[in-house]
Amino acid sequence: MTGQRCLEDVAVGDALEPMTKTASRAQLFLFSAATNNPHRIHYDREYAAVEGHPDVLVHGPLQGAWLSQYVADWAGPRGRVLALSWQNRARAFPERELTFSGSVTAIEGDIVSLEIRETDDTGAVLMPATARVQLPHRAGGKP
Amino acid sequence: MTAGLIPDETRAMIGQLLSEPVTGVVTAAAAQRFALAADDRNPLYFDEAAAQSAGYRTTLIPPVFLAWSLNPPRPLADVRTDGLYRGEGKRVTLNVKRVMFGGEDWEFLAPLYAGDTYTSETRLKSLEEKTGGSGDFVLQMTETTYTNQDGIVVARATGRSIAR
């Protein structure tokens, strides 16, 4: 994100530029390590099958972290993410492109509401989400 | 009324703490390791000058990292066959076969600075029996409150699980 998005730049119905993510198996390992999460479904394919999964799974919280990144990048350095909410609806797998997209659903004062979804490469919605962001006015603003 | 998915003694836990409060310092290094594992290179997490020019005292942590940042180190003996750590604190016992994670709702109430000391407290917020297409289930909500060293509530997270 370069520059700062301001309230004056935003209208209800605006689409957010999509963000794509494709997790490698190494990334899943690093995320397990960074969150001290030894659950085998994220690195042990044979064990994942025991829990009924065809492959290892992308962590729900990694998808939550991506949502947070998507919203914070949109808001810019002086925007404030006030709320994030997501539903983990379906499994996500590594080496498959995942797409975050969204739109502006409301603006009240300096608070902007967003509706976001994460979809997989078949178009299935894996994670519907919402966010509330406080944006500065063009003239200046505070963090 | 369904066939009692929620035992009375479990219902009595609503509103109670599920474990002792946990307090710890969230270092910039741990926060940056999390951000990089998510491939998030937001300068607010890495660059003191960028954070200060955005009006912050110092660098921030990725907000959802709070959920992981205070977990104490655990011995290998606590790891179960599935890799998960054995549960600590009070068990929420329900008459169900499996619990699926459903999602999270976060509120961020104040800047989350790297290097600050945070305390988390997790309570059982609610248990609701519901009837759905594939049978009866329990919607379980737990609420975690995060407070900084100045006693300011900086974030609140509600986790939703479906037990059936």
Side-chain angles (χ1 to χ4, degrees), chain B residues 7 75 118 148:
Chain B
Y118 297 93
N148 69 11

Side-chain angles (χ1 to χ4, degrees), chain B residues 93-141:
Chain B
T93 304
L94 297 169
N95 299 323
V96 297
K97 288 201 189 71
R98 59 186 303 196
V99 180
M100 287 174 57
F101 192 69
E104 296 181 40
D105 303 314
W106 283 85
E107 279 178 278
F108 304 106
L109 306 166
L112 303 172
Y113 288 114
D116 275 9
T117 300
Y118 297 93
T119 298
S120 72
E121 287 193 331
T122 300
R123 287 172 198 280
L124 180 60
K125 187 179 185 186
S126 63
L127 292 168
E128 279 180 79
E129 285 198 32
K130 291 175 174 281
T131 301
S134 44
D136 296 335
F137 65 94
V138 177
L139 174 62
Q140 176 180 328
M141 310 238 267

Side-chain angles (χ1 to χ4, degrees), chain A residues 21 27 31 35-36 38-40 47 51 61-62 65-66 68-69 77-78 80-88 143, chain B residues 34 37-40 44 54-56 63-65 68 81-85 101-109 160:
Chain A
K21 292 283 185 185
Q27 181 175 11
F31 192 81
T35 55
N36 190 20
H39 198 179
R40 289 166 70 190
Y47 176 77
E51 291 202 15
L62 175 52
W66 284 334
S68 166
Q69 175 185 3
R78 287 190 295 115
R80 284 271 308 271
V81 180
L82 302 178
L84 293 173
S85 179
W86 67 85
Q87 251 184 67
N88 295 107
Chain B
F34 177 92
D39 195 22
D40 183 352
L44 297 177
Y56 294 108
V64 293
F65 180 52
W68 309 97
T81 315
D82 61 5
L84 289 168
Y85 289 118
F101 192 69
E104 296 181 40
D105 303 314
W106 283 85
E107 279 178 278
F108 304 106
L109 306 166
R160 286 176 265 116

